[in-house]
Amino acid sequence: MSLTAPLLPAAHALGASSSEIIVAYASGPADIPKAWDGLQLPHLQDLLATLTPTTVVQGDEMDFSPPHELALARAMQLPEQAGLIPWAALAAGDTTQPCAFITPCHWHVAPDQVHQTDPASAPMSEEESRQLLALVAPWFSDDGITLEYLRPDTWLARGAAFKDLATASMDRALGRDVRPWMPNPIQGAIIQRLQTELQMLLYTNSFNDQRAQRRLPPINSFWVHGTGSLVKLPAHLSLAVCVDDLRQPSLHSDVQSWQKAWQALDNGLIAQLQQRAARGEPIKLTLCGESNAVQWQSQPRGFMDKIMSVFGAKRLPDLREML
């Protein structure tokens, strides 16, 4: 599962007859224009030729929430405001107060940038995460923020400090300079102060000495994400699934792994959707990039449309340009 929004592997969607499949990072690594060179996706090409596209998210690569999170929020009937999709409140089932996710992390501070290291590259064990949580919780408590353990890389936070505080998804900051992704300095003053205090606290603490002995980078900061208030729980359980198979290779600019993951998706989940479409089942497939999300879905077609789908050209759309 990804850190901010509830993304799942494609294997979870196979056989589940989900009403909508959302594919994150379908356009490829943002910094490598040639990621699509030589990539063949025959099932996707044939499937899209039978469906009608509609742009459902038209955003910007600097939006705090990436398109797949906005598309998933819409499918789940959650607020769609970038940076204020209440993922943490949803995970907690809390409709009484603002919530957030806290991810302990390592920041590499250089003269010209503050680089966010992927927590997965130097993970904490549950015991280690709980130890750190107990150490820092009093500091947060002084500002009216309570912390609760969820996973080694994620804690749940509750408090008024997160009210209307737009924060960037972990995906936006991962492997990048965090400075463009920090919350509003006035609204987020408490968070920025806590980040500074945590740096000083952990600089001399034995917690990081133990990590150093294992040749792991120190934990010297945290990322706040998934903020927002949930007025009420969704009335119905969404059948939409957002798959994360392309996420890691795209975020790490690993073109070869990204292409292999796309081919596996094409031969598995996309092939299944193609079979469902051929049987006349309604299909919704939403492909997402760094800026936009486009949804392809079944529409009633006339006789000539069906003839063209059989004999017409079936070129794959320029997804990198569209997304």
Side-chain angles (χ1 to χ4, degrees), residues 1-8 20-28 56-61 63-83 85 87 168-174 176 225 238 240-248 250-251 258 285-295 323:
M1 180 178 289
S2 67
L3 291 172
T4 300
L7 277 61
L8 297 168
E20 179 179 352
I21 299 297
I22 301 169
V23 180
Y25 299 100
S27 62
V56 292
V57 175
Q58 191 164 13
D60 185 273
E61 62 183 8
D63 288 340
F64 272 9
S65 297
H68 62 271
E69 292 190 12
L70 291 166
L72 183 59
R74 173 177 295 187
M76 298 177 72
Q77 298 182 333
L78 295 173
E80 299 174 41
Q81 185 177 349
I85 304 172
W87 296 119
S169 168
M170 193 69 179
D171 279 16
R172 289 306 207 190
L174 205 63
R176 294 173 171 173
H225 52 118
S238 172
V241 174
C242 187
V243 300
D244 67 352
D245 299 53
L246 306 177
R247 176 179 176 270
Q248 279 291 104
S250 185
L251 290 176
W258 179 81
L285 174 63
T286 303
L287 303 181
C288 309
E290 290 278 353
S291 300
N292 305 319
V294 178
Q295 183 180 91
L323 306 178

Side-chain angles (χ1 to χ4, degrees), residues 11 27 32 37-38 46-47 101 116 196 242 255 284 306 322:
S27 62
I32 305 180
D37 288 2
D46 290 346
L47 175 63
F101 289 136
Q116 174 80 274
T196 301
C242 187
V255 172
K284 286 185 181 179
K306 295 178 180 179
M322 295 177 70

